[in-house]
Amino acid sequence: MNCTETMELISLYIDGLLDEHTEQMLQKHFKECAECRQDYEELLNIKNMCSELPMLELPPDFEVSLHEKLVRATENVQVIDIGRSETFNKKFKWKNWKVYGSMAAVFIVLILASSLLNEARFNGSQMKENVGMESPNMEFAGSAPAPEAPKMKVGTAARDESYGAEERLQTTQDNGSPENRVMDQNNQTTQFTALEAESDRKVIKSGYVDLNVEEYDDKFSQITRITAERGGFVENSNTYYKQYNEVNPEESLKQGSLVIRVPENQFAEVLDHIKSLGTVTNTSISGQDITKEYRSTVDEIENLKVQEKSLRAIMEKATSVKDILEVERELSRVRGEINRMSGDVKRWDDLVDLSTIHVTLNEMSSKDKEIYPIRDNVWLRAQKGFIKTVNEMIQFAENVFIRIASTLPVILVLFIMGIPLTIYLYRWTKRKKNKQE
Amino acid sequence: MEEFEIELIEKSKRGDVESFEILIRSHQTLAYNIAFRMLGNVEDANDATQEALVKVFKSIQSFHGQSSFSTWLYRIVTNTCLDELRKRKRQQVYSYHNPMEMEDGQIDRDVVDPSSSTEEILEKKEEIKNIQDAIQALPEQHRIVIVLRDIKGLSYEQISEILDCPQGTIKSRISRARLALKEIITNRELYQKPYV
């Protein structure tokens, strides 16, 4: 038995846990080896000293404070396995810390991202609008003729019906009017024109045409020319670029609208002519029959005129100032009514005489007609596009930088406020936890 | 396990504080002393013992008699002490009993009291103090087995249950711990002789 083995066994020997044989071997070694014997004696001595160490008495307030803690523990929610749940809590808190941290980071990123996206979206929506204008028109182009036919039919049928009704009305009206004519000689001329108008139906016609055209400017001038030839006029027009091509301004597509007025009898012809200028994507005709209102207004005017005449007669007879004033007032009211109504009649006449046509022109590039030769400025355009993209990227980076820089004070303030707060909270929870334990 | 003890445990499980106090009365002094030897001072020992006993009370539901109640209790006490020591290590609390770790070994922080060594009667006290300090200087895994085995005289079996280790491990650990303790004491004597 050598010394190393002995050292391993001394401890067990002291505790008397070795079997008889090993014990004898050890004792034999101790006799031979003074060093090991000394070690053994020292160890035994230390062991004895250890076991002689005095037992301490419990502190006097031990049981009292323990009792307090135990009572408090019963008041707390019964936690079944405190040891496990505590380690769990610790882990949980640590995890929470991470979770809160990442949440804060995500929040900041979201703020930045959303503000950046807002800008991007603003640019994007403009582009989208341009695209959106083009696509529905393309869709319509194919299916345009179908809705046109039935609409026209419905329109004419409705008109025929109203025509019949008007003729009946007209006859009843004619019965009353001869008396008026006899009564007033002065207004005979106006009445005559009114009567002339009465023989016709008062219909305000308006047409709507949406056209896809190829050469916008040419078509536009054609329409104005036709209008002028037919004795009409352009009431208003509006032209704008739908898609502005920076490289080739002459290739930019235009869009525009016109409101033209043509004599009622030329209406159908002009409309057909305009339709032939391009692809019709949408068309409609509407006729507003105002014959009834027109007639009743004209009658009203007649009646008011009769009333006016009789008022004048009364005026001549009137002697007292009071009467004169009263009649005067009534007279002016009647005159006002007449003026207002004849204004209406005039406006109607105008609307009926000159029909309105709303034209919308939408320029389309004719890409399917011929194969374009490759334009010589492809390289230039590519270069421009490249520069544009680079500029956009720089701008984006700038925006990111500006956004971060501008939110930096907020983040700093949050940090400055947050760090002591978290330290305080951390300590507080720790203290609380210690107390609980 | 005695009937009486089982009954008290059952009552404690139902939250009866008085029964629990009777149950731990015979163990709390030993628990306190284990904690004292482990932690080295009275205040920490008091806190740790109370903490451990509250823990015992709270978690008594999970005690199903796998081991004896005392073993289970001491296990919680020792674990609490080990936790406390670990916490201390993290917070770097320096104790005068702990030697300061230096690059070239340990330097004893102990303040030598010159008045104690002169009188004969004090020699015994000095010895006790020495051995206490030496125990405090042991690494915690060694300290615990010395405390349980040599100071409190628990059997190997009990220790292995308390520390949740196989007996073989405990045997070698006790052996190593004793040698380490001897080493510390002899080194100390060497260092301190010139002063005395």
Side-chain angles (χ1 to χ4, degrees), chain A residues 7-8 10-12 14-15 17 39 42-43 46-47 49-59 61-63 65-67 69-71 73-74 76 78-83 86 430 434 436-437, chain B residues 15 17-18 20-21 24-25 28-30 32-33 36-37 46 49-51 53-55 57-59 61 91 124 127-128 131-132 135 146 149-152 156 171 174-175 178-179 181-182 185-186:
Chain A
M7 289 311 275
E8 283 168 11
I10 287 178
S11 174
L12 291 172
I14 289 170
D15 290 326
L17 289 169
D39 280 341
E42 272 177 28
L43 279 173
I46 289 168
K47 192 220 165 212
M49 282 204 297
C50 282
S51 46
E52 274 168 24
L53 281 174
M55 276 279 256
L56 286 183
E57 283 301 307
L58 283 173
D61 62 335
F62 182 86
E63 285 194 21
S65 70
L66 179 64
H67 181 80
K69 283 179 188 171
L70 288 174
V71 170
T74 50
N76 282 349
Q78 293 266 333
V79 185
I80 290 172
D81 193 350
I82 231 7
E86 209 164 81
K430 210 173 154 191
N434 281 345
Q436 268 181 355
E437 277 172 10
Chain B
V17 177
E18 279 73 28
F20 182 72
E21 279 168 345
I24 59 169
R25 193 153 291 156
Q28 59 195 16
T29 312
L30 185 55
Y32 174 68
N33 275 276
F36 171 68
R37 295 297 170 203
N46 190 10
T49 314
Q50 297 214 355
E51 188 188 325
L53 290 175
V54 171
K55 232 182 245 185
F57 180 63
K58 279 183 181 170
S59 53
Q61 303 285 347
Q91 291 171 352
K124 183 80 180 166
E127 215 168 50
I128 290 171
I131 198 153
Q132 270 175 357
I135 290 166
I146 293 288
R149 175 67 208 146
D150 289 347
I151 302 181
K152 301 305 160 206
Y156 278 65
K171 274 179 193 169
I174 289 175
S175 167
R178 278 172 176 166
L179 290 174
L181 187 62
K182 183 173 82 80
I185 289 170
T186 41

Side-chain angles (χ1 to χ4, degrees), chain B residues 1-187:
Chain B
M1 224 184 295
E2 288 167 42
E3 287 281 314
F4 179 63
E5 204 178 50
I6 292 171
E7 201 186 312
L8 285 176
I9 289 168
E10 285 305 315
K11 276 187 182 171
S12 307
K13 279 185 184 179
R14 272 176 259 132
D16 186 354
V17 177
E18 279 73 28
S19 307
F20 182 72
E21 279 168 345
I22 298 165
L23 185 66
I24 59 169
R25 193 153 291 156
S26 53
H27 304 297
Q28 59 195 16
T29 312
L30 185 55
Y32 174 68
N33 275 276
I34 291 173
F36 171 68
R37 295 297 170 203
M38 285 298 293
L39 301 175
N41 70 69
V42 187
E43 295 80 24
D44 285 352
N46 190 10
D47 288 348
T49 314
Q50 297 214 355
E51 188 188 325
L53 290 175
V54 171
K55 232 182 245 185
V56 168
F57 180 63
K58 279 183 181 170
S59 53
I60 198 162
Q61 303 285 347
S62 65
F63 176 70
H64 300 296
Q66 312 92 327
S67 55
S68 79
F69 178 74
S70 59
T71 311
W72 184 67
L73 188 145
Y74 296 140
R75 189 190 206 161
I76 291 177
V77 172
T78 53
N79 282 338
T80 311
C81 291
L82 288 174
D83 276 349
E84 174 63 28
L85 287 174
R86 228 165 280 149
K87 219 182 277 174
R88 251 192 222 176
K89 208 183 264 173
R90 231 181 345 212
Q91 291 171 352
Q92 290 290 333
V93 174
Y94 289 106
S95 155
Y96 280 114
H97 301 294
N98 285 337
M100 208 158 73
E101 296 283 339
M102 288 300 227
E103 280 173 5
D104 51 348
Q106 295 178 337
I107 295 175
D108 205 331
R109 281 169 165 267
D110 219 348
V111 181
V112 179
D113 192 352
S115 66
S116 57
S117 57
T118 46
E119 300 218 16
E120 273 287 313
I121 317 146
L122 290 172
E123 211 157 273
K124 183 80 180 166
K125 244 187 181 179
E126 181 71 9
E127 215 168 50
I128 290 171
K129 193 184 171 296
N130 270 344
I131 198 153
Q132 270 175 357
D133 292 350
I135 290 166
Q136 290 307 317
L138 278 173
E140 55 191 59
Q141 288 300 333
H142 286 162
R143 201 188 309 167
I144 190 129
V145 286
I146 293 288
V147 168
L148 294 177
R149 175 67 208 146
D150 289 347
I151 302 181
K152 301 305 160 206
L154 298 176
S155 74
Y156 278 65
E157 201 186 338
Q158 273 177 308
I159 294 169
S160 82
E161 263 184 59
I162 288 170
L163 297 182
D164 204 12
C165 282
Q167 274 199 41
T169 317
I170 297 299
K171 274 179 193 169
S172 59
R173 201 191 281 178
I174 289 175
S175 167
R176 263 180 281 124
R178 278 172 176 166
L179 290 174
L181 187 62
K182 183 173 82 80
E183 193 87 346
I184 287 169
I185 289 170
T186 41
N187 277 351

Side-chain angles (χ1 to χ4, degrees), chain A residues 237-433:
Chain A
S237 76
N238 175 28
T239 301
Y240 56 94
Y241 282 111
K242 173 170 72 168
Q243 231 172 31
Y244 189 73
N245 193 335
E246 280 172 54
V247 186
N248 274 353
E250 63 269 22
E251 274 183 18
S252 322
L253 296 177
K254 286 177 187 169
Q255 207 165 24
S257 61
L258 294 114
V259 180
I260 56 173
R261 303 290 299 274
V262 289
E264 189 262 327
N265 50 2
Q266 306 278 345
F267 177 73
E269 274 176 62
V270 173
L271 198 63
D272 284 343
H273 196 120
I274 288 170
K275 277 184 195 169
S276 68
L277 290 175
T279 320
V280 180
T281 55
N282 184 19
T283 177
S284 68
I285 293 171
S286 71
Q288 194 194 352
D289 197 326
I290 50 150
T291 321
K292 216 191 239 174
E293 292 97 312
Y294 190 87
R295 290 283 149 71
S296 59
T297 310
V298 170
D299 284 349
E300 192 75 8
I301 291 170
E302 296 305 323
N303 290 337
L304 283 170
K305 275 175 184 163
V306 173
Q307 202 179 348
E308 191 197 354
K309 218 191 159 208
S310 54
L311 277 171
R312 282 189 201 283
I314 293 168
M315 182 74 143
E316 274 160 27
K317 284 178 202 161
T319 47
S320 72
V321 178
K322 196 190 162 204
D323 288 348
I324 291 170
L325 281 176
E326 212 154 287
V327 174
E328 191 94 315
R329 199 168 54 230
E330 188 66 9
L331 201 61
S332 69
R333 188 188 65 81
V334 169
R335 277 250 54 105
E337 286 280 277
I338 291 168
N339 282 341
R340 190 178 58 78
M341 285 179 175
S342 44
D344 276 354
V345 168
K346 259 189 195 156
R347 197 166 51 82
W348 278 331
D349 281 340
D350 178 53
L351 280 173
V352 170
D353 289 346
L354 291 168
S355 305
T356 314
I357 301 177
H358 300 263
V359 186
T360 309
L361 294 173
N362 183 21
E363 191 175 24
M364 310 294 288
S365 58
S366 48
K367 278 188 176 151
D368 48 353
K369 288 210 169 153
E370 56 177 320
I371 296 171
Y372 290 127
I374 292 175
R375 277 163 292 195
D376 46 355
N377 56 2
V378 167
W379 174 242
L380 191 74
R381 278 190 293 153
Q383 238 177 347
K384 277 192 180 175
F386 177 79
I387 290 165
K388 201 178 162 194
T389 313
V390 168
N391 282 340
E392 271 167 10
M393 274 167 70
I394 290 168
Q395 213 174 356
F396 182 79
E398 265 173 19
N399 285 342
V400 170
F401 179 74
I402 288 165
R403 198 60 59 175
I404 290 169
S406 54
T407 40
L408 209 59
V410 178
I411 294 167
L412 275 177
V413 167
L414 283 179
F415 258 108
I416 288 163
M417 290 195 316
I419 288 170
L421 197 72
T422 41
I423 289 171
Y424 174 74
L425 277 176
Y426 177 74
R427 283 190 185 154
W428 186 69
T429 46
K430 210 173 154 191
R431 210 178 304 139
K432 208 178 160 193
K433 209 184 74 191

